[in-house]
Amino acid sequence: MTKNIGTIDRIFRLVLGIILLAAPFVSGMAVFQSSTATIISVVVGLVMLGTSTLKFCPLYRIFGIQTCKI
């Protein structure tokens, strides 16, 4: 796996991942009363954290996007 996520992109994904993981449990928003919305939020949050940690996004590879400097 070649790195294809830059620093700013990683920070954004990290923050978004943490927000999506925490939102269903601490926000009290009505949308999270549904278990489907909670599951989707947690899964997307985990994907964001994973791609941030690995510095690799499979979708970026498919579309030929690269936000890091070589």
Side-chain angles (χ1 to χ4, degrees):
M1 292 187 301
T2 348
K3 295 179 190 177
N4 62 3
I5 295 179
T7 304
I8 294 173
D9 196 0
R10 284 184 65 209
I11 292 169
F12 177 75
R13 286 170 184 262
L14 180 67
V15 171
L16 182 62
I18 291 169
I19 290 170
L20 287 172
L21 281 174
F25 307 107
V26 297
S27 71
M29 295 174 64
V31 71
F32 294 120
Q33 296 300 321
S34 161
S35 62
T36 304
T38 301
I39 291 169
I40 290 171
S41 179
V42 169
V43 168
V44 172
L46 288 172
V47 169
M48 290 291 114
L49 287 176
T51 56
S52 174
T53 303
L54 296 174
K55 301 177 188 176
F56 176 77
C57 178
L59 286 177
Y60 276 15
R61 171 165 276 175
I62 291 170
F63 293 113
I65 300 169
Q66 187 165 342
T67 59
C68 68
K69 297 177 184 175
I70 297 176

